[in-house]
Each structure stands twice: as structure tokens, then as C-alpha cells.
């Protein structure tokens, strides 16, 4: 038991409290450990979805293994076969977390690019932005380490939220909108 004081009252806790990641709100799903039942429930669908995205992105088998952190090809092949056949499968929490980040990267790309070819081009083209340093985002995320995957994820999240937007194709900066250029219209279509 661990004792803490809160609002002048002493409270007993079964576990010592952990420090939350300051970049995530408390109660974020990643802060909660996935139990075996939850992992079993999510694993097949998560892996099938990852495989579809990996096909779209043109990732080879080795790159796929590195992205999701399964470094033994035979284990990867068995997991894929079970997922495709809709057989019971339980991936570890780290693999599910990596797949979750890939899903979010894919979702962010669909937000930023109206055309799928543009999104795939952005993913495959080398970029000079500081996190990429002349490499393509695809090259970075297929490196195999979780932090590289998260670098691509954070970059796209920043672009989606307007914190960062890459320069336009012609190299010019996008000027901010003036108040008169912003219009809100009510009504349906």
C-alpha cells in the first residue's frame, strides 16, 4: 500500500502513482495496459488492417516486420496467416501500439492529402524538414525503432492540427488568412 495526501485527506493506494506523459491527457488509452482478453479481441483486426496499409504503402516483408516490431519472419508469417484466416491471435501490447501508430499515420495522411497518390508520394519522397534530414518518412518509419515511427506520427499530427505546415510545392510560404477571407455559411446543401 502507498499513502498519498489529497485535498487534506490521506488516501491509500494499492500501487505507487506513475507520472503521466505530459504530452498526453490523463486517461489516454495508451496509459491503460491491455489485458489478454482485450489483446485477443483486437489483434486479428489490427493486423489485417496493418497488412492492407502496408500493401498500399508498398512495404516489403522485412519492412513490415520492422515497423510492427516482430523481428522473426516465421513468427510474423504465422501471425499473418492466423489473422487472414480469422483464427485466434494475441499480439503483444508493443506490437498493437505500433500498429495503432501506423493506423494514425495513415489517417493523418488522408486528412492532409485529398489524393491517395499525393499521400504516397509524400511518404516516399525525401524531405529536408528537421525530423527527416533528407530521408523519406517511409524510410524513417521502417527503421524499426519505435521513436522513429513516433517521429513521423508527431510530424503529421502537428501538420493536421496546424502547428506545422510544410512549405508549398513552389517553395513559397503560405500567407495567413485575413479576417475578410474567412466566411461561415449556414444551411444545408
Amino acid at each position: 500500500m502507498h499513502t498519498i495526501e489529497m485535498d487534506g485527506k490521506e488516501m491509500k493506494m494499492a500501487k505507487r502513482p506513475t507520472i503521466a506523459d505530459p504530452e498526453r491527457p490523463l486517461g489516454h488509452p495508451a496509459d491503460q495496459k491491455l489485458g489478454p482478453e482485450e489483446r485477443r479481441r483486437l489483434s486479428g483486426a489490427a493486423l489485417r488492417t496493418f497488412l492492407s496499409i502496408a500493401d498500399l504503402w508498398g512495404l516489403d516483408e522485412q519492412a513490415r516486420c520492422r515497423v510492427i516490431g516482430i523481428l522473426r519472419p516465421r513468427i510474423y508469417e504465422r501471425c499473418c496467416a492466423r489473422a487472414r484466416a480469422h483464427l485466434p491471435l494475441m499480439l503483444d501490447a508493443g506490437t498493437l501500439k505500433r500498429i495503432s501508430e501506423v493506423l494514425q499515420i495513415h489517417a493523418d495522411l488522408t486528412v492532409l492529402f485529398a489524393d491517395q497518390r499525393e499521400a504516397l508520394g509524400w511518404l516516399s519522397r525525401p524531405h529536408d524538414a528537421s525530423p527527416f534530414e533528407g530521408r523519406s518518412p517511409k524510410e524513417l518509419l521502417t527503421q524499426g525503432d519505435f521513436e522513429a515511427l513516433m517521429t513521423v506520427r508527431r510530424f503529421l499530427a502537428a501538420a493536421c492540427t496546424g502547428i506545422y505546415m510544410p512549405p508549398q510545392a513552389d517553395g513559397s510560404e503560405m500567407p495567413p488568412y485575413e479576417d475578410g477571407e474567412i466566411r461561415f455559411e449556414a444551411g444545408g446543401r
Side-chain angles (χ1 to χ4, degrees):
M1 285 295 216
H2 179 73
T3 306
I4 63 167
E5 187 177 317
M6 185 175 221
D7 296 327
K9 297 178 184 177
E10 199 172 87
M11 299 176 69
K12 294 192 185 277
M13 300 180 72
K15 292 183 177 179
R16 176 177 286 278
T18 58
I19 298 172
D21 182 344
E23 294 185 8
R24 275 199 316 248
L26 291 174
H28 189 277
D31 293 333
Q32 302 164 4
K33 296 202 181 204
L34 293 175
E37 293 304 313
E38 194 70 4
R39 290 184 7 236
R40 250 185 230 104
R41 186 180 70 76
L42 296 171
S43 291
L47 188 54
R48 284 189 299 277
T49 305
F50 168 76
L51 293 172
S52 294
I53 292 170
D55 287 344
L56 180 67
W57 290 358
L59 300 182
D60 63 27
E61 294 285 313
Q62 290 177 338
R64 293 171 190 223
C65 289
R66 287 191 306 270
V67 169
I68 62 172
I70 298 178
L71 301 179
R72 292 178 158 173
R74 284 190 180 163
I75 292 174
Y76 172 78
E77 289 166 10
R78 274 187 264 152
C79 289
C80 291
R82 293 186 72 80
R84 286 181 179 119
H86 294 265
L87 294 172
L89 171 67
M90 184 170 65
L91 298 171
D92 66 57
T95 299
L96 285 171
K97 176 68 176 148
R98 285 169 174 259
I99 290 173
S100 173
E101 298 306 330
V102 169
L103 298 178
Q104 191 58 56
I105 288 169
H106 182 69
D108 289 348
L109 287 170
T110 62
V111 167
L112 291 169
F113 299 97
D115 181 40
Q116 194 174 62
R117 285 186 309 267
E118 288 178 21
L120 294 174
W122 182 88
L123 197 61
S124 301
R125 205 173 32 256
H127 297 282
D128 291 329
S130 64
F132 305 115
E133 299 172 346
R135 295 175 293 175
S136 72
K138 186 159 101 175
E139 182 182 342
L140 190 62
L141 67 88
T142 58
Q143 241 173 237
D145 66 283
F146 185 71
E147 193 52 43
L149 182 65
M150 288 304 298
T151 297
V152 176
R153 165 74 181 93
R154 288 183 192 117
F155 184 89
L156 288 170
C160 284
T161 58
I163 295 172
Y164 172 77
M165 201 50 148
Q168 298 185 95
D170 65 3
S172 66
E173 293 294 323
M174 174 121 179
Y177 289 111
E178 298 291 328
D179 287 344
E181 294 177 296
I182 301 172
R183 283 194 264 169
F184 295 95
E185 296 180 17
R189 293 179 190 242

